[in-house]
Amino acid sequence: MTSHFSSLGLPVRQLANLEQLGYQTMTPIQAQSLPHVLAGRDVIAKAKTGSGKTAAFAIGLLEKLNPRFFGVQGLILCPTRELSSQVAKEIRRLARYRDNIKVLTLCGGQPIGPQIGSLEHGAHVVVGTPGRIQDHLRKGTLVLDGVNTLVMDEADRMLDMGFIEPMEAIASLTPADRQTLLFSATYPEGIQQLSARFQRDPIEVSVEAVHKSSQIEQLFYPSARDEKGTSLARLLSHYHPESCVVFCNTKQQCRTVTEDLESRGFSAQALHGDLEQRDRDLVLVRFANGSSNVLVATDVAARGLDISELQAVINYDLSPQADIYVHRIGRTGRAGREGLALSLFTESERHRLDAIAEYQGQPVKICALETLPENEGYVARPSMVTFCIDGGRKNKVRPGDILGALTGEAGIAASEVGKIDITDFHAYVAVTRTVANKAFGQLQNGKIKGRKFRVRRS
């Protein structure tokens, strides 16, 4: 099977756009699914996060759009707001070869009024979460009569989050002759039921999710249940990753582990389903820009994470399912980099190690914590500090305005300013710890676009 995009019969302008975006050759999931997607077939695809699956459905979806019709023609359902934003951003990049293609994100945790206003002006593609999509359908502000492509992205996680009924209700309101593309990291029974109900003779494609041992180093450490907190601290102190996700199986465990790590001096944050959207946004911003080292998360809450250089994954709790374990560790060692996956397990969980070994077709490597050199008391401090500014897109604040405020009168080097994230009403900027006080003084006492904004350290 050829891996060149030129083999797909795509427009010359799209091929040039793909080259500009750095899409050299197709990833395995793209090579297996795109020919069927472009041929109009329904597809059920199994692929892990980071495999290039967005382009696998978006390239075909874009080819079917009629830019002169401003009704919704493509609908993508995602489990979380973060994943929806990432998918919409990538579709906009892929759509640059066509004029006036409007992509709209509809998610909860944001005011519904501005979304209604945007829908009144029309949109070709809508990306959103099932709950908010249903809100608009109930209000009559979203019409799906013109949908020709329906995508369910990370469908297994939407099932885990209890979205089965909303997904079915939304799908039933789209035309019967639409194309339905279903992407999932795992194949639980509910996925087969969804496919049977909403797809017509689908093509099944699957990309092997097992990671090369040379790419991700996987080490397993036995630990007594009541000593797991100490064991986790020892792993972090020895390996001291600059960015690490610690997986727990429950929300309560997330909170407990985070509190324990904080009491030991680690910069840890919890990510779980009980967080308010604004708190969740801040947690993700601080982790992505290097202002915290450790993110303690559940599987569902971690969906949609887009951290390009995650140095390590630690399983505080082993998942009961081997494929979930593989999906977790796939968040490190991406784009050809080496990754590190560390797992704690109790004696009663040894059978899970056997399942993981069987699933991956290779034995697991069991190590002893006692073999790690003593490094107690070592705590890696985050290299960055994040500030929150009470001004965002609605206040016409742009990244360049914040960068200019810091590098101008404050005299801070641009290299000492990290990621700048702008939301509707807030902006977040990361600076190196060594210039944090100077940056705070400038943001607090100086002006951005000629205005003073409230600033606080996050």
Side-chain angles (χ1 to χ4, degrees), residues 197-366:
R197 182 165 180 185
F198 292 113
Q199 292 189 297
R200 295 167 297 168
D201 189 25
I203 296 287
E204 288 196 26
V205 299
S206 178
V207 172
E208 186 55 57
V210 174
H211 307 292
K212 297 176 182 177
S213 57
S214 59
Q215 182 184 357
I216 300 177
E217 185 178 15
Q218 302 177 51
L219 305 174
F220 294 79
Y221 292 89
S223 173
R225 187 169 300 280
D226 59 358
E227 295 177 3
K228 270 192 172 183
T230 301
S231 300
L232 175 60
R234 187 159 184 173
L235 290 177
L236 289 169
S237 294
H238 176 70
Y239 291 101
H240 45 84
E242 289 186 14
S243 59
C244 172
V245 174
V246 176
F247 279 103
C248 297
N249 289 344
T250 67
K251 290 181 284 189
Q252 182 55 49
Q253 193 69 276
C254 270
R255 288 187 282 263
T256 301
V257 170
T258 303
E259 291 169 3
D260 181 64
L261 287 174
E262 288 177 330
S263 72
R264 298 172 187 266
F266 291 93
S267 175
Q269 299 182 103
L271 185 68
H272 52 72
D274 288 346
L275 291 180
E276 294 290 334
Q277 189 62 53
R278 181 176 171 180
D279 294 332
R280 179 182 172 87
D281 289 344
L282 181 55
V283 166
L284 292 173
V285 164
R286 291 189 67 229
F287 185 67
N289 68 23
S291 296
S292 73
N293 301 100
V294 184
L295 192 66
V296 185
T298 57
D299 290 300
V300 170
R303 277 300 173 114
L305 273 182
D306 185 26
I307 310 299
S308 59
E309 295 188 32
L310 187 62
Q311 291 188 353
V313 167
I314 299 179
N315 291 293
Y316 183 88
D317 296 319
L318 278 178
S319 170
Q321 298 166 266
D323 58 346
I324 296 297
Y325 164 83
V326 171
H327 191 63
R328 284 178 178 181
I329 71 170
R331 297 175 182 279
T332 183
R334 290 188 180 178
R337 300 183 185 91
E338 292 185 356
L340 179 65
L342 309 171
S343 300
L344 296 172
F345 68 95
T346 62
E347 194 59 37
S348 63
E349 293 177 315
R350 279 191 177 268
H351 66 285
R352 294 183 180 175
L353 271 65
D354 296 335
I356 290 169
E358 182 178 354
Y359 187 84
Q360 296 195 113
Q362 60 187 36
V364 300
K365 185 176 181 179
I366 299 177

Side-chain angles (χ1 to χ4, degrees), residues 362-403:
Q362 60 187 36
V364 300
K365 185 176 181 179
I366 299 177
C367 306
L369 285 162
E370 295 75 24
T371 62
L372 299 181
E374 288 289 344
N375 201 13
E376 285 194 35
Y378 176 87
V379 176
R381 297 188 74 196
S383 58
M384 309 296 283
V385 173
T386 297
F387 296 108
C388 177
I389 302 165
D390 283 354
R393 291 192 200 97
K394 299 295 184 181
N395 308 100
K396 309 298 183 184
V397 174
R398 299 170 302 178
D401 301 322
I402 297 172
L403 182 62

Side-chain angles (χ1 to χ4, degrees), residues 33 56 97 102 119 127 138 171 181 194 217 220-221 240 348 403 433 457:
S33 59
Y97 76 105
K102 184 175 178 182
L119 282 167
V127 187
R138 281 191 289 266
L181 309 174
L194 263 183
E217 185 178 15
F220 294 79
Y221 292 89
H240 45 84
S348 63
L403 182 62
R433 185 171 294 279
R457 191 183 297 242

Side-chain angles (χ1 to χ4, degrees), residues 38-95:
L38 289 164
R41 294 289 304 272
D42 285 2
V43 174
I44 177 169
K46 182 178 180 181
K48 64 178 181 174
T49 300
S51 60
K53 57 188 173 60
T54 300
F57 60 74
I59 289 174
L61 180 152
L62 289 169
E63 282 302 294
K64 295 167 67 176
L65 295 183
N66 176 2
R68 292 180 295 279
F69 171 54
F70 270 83
V72 179
Q73 299 165 58
L75 176 63
I76 299 102
L77 299 180
C78 300
T80 65
R81 174 180 165 185
E82 290 75 31
L83 182 61
S84 300
S85 297
Q86 289 169 35
V87 168
K89 180 180 179 181
E90 189 61 15
I91 291 176
R92 291 187 187 102
R93 281 165 27 100
L94 291 166

Side-chain angles (χ1 to χ4, degrees), residues 1-8 10 18 21-39 43 45-60 90 93-94 183 203 205-208:
M1 183 178 292
T2 179
S3 61
H4 295 286
F5 286 100
S6 58
S7 67
L8 299 173
L10 296 172
L18 289 169
L21 293 174
Y23 282 77
Q24 303 298 332
T25 55
M26 288 186 278
T27 65
I29 191 61
Q30 292 163 3
Q32 288 190 38
S33 59
L34 261 172
H36 303 300
V37 172
L38 289 164
V43 174
K46 182 178 180 181
K48 64 178 181 174
T49 300
S51 60
K53 57 188 173 60
T54 300
F57 60 74
I59 289 174
E90 189 61 15
R93 281 165 27 100
L94 291 166
F183 284 75
I203 296 287
V205 299
S206 178
V207 172
E208 186 55 57

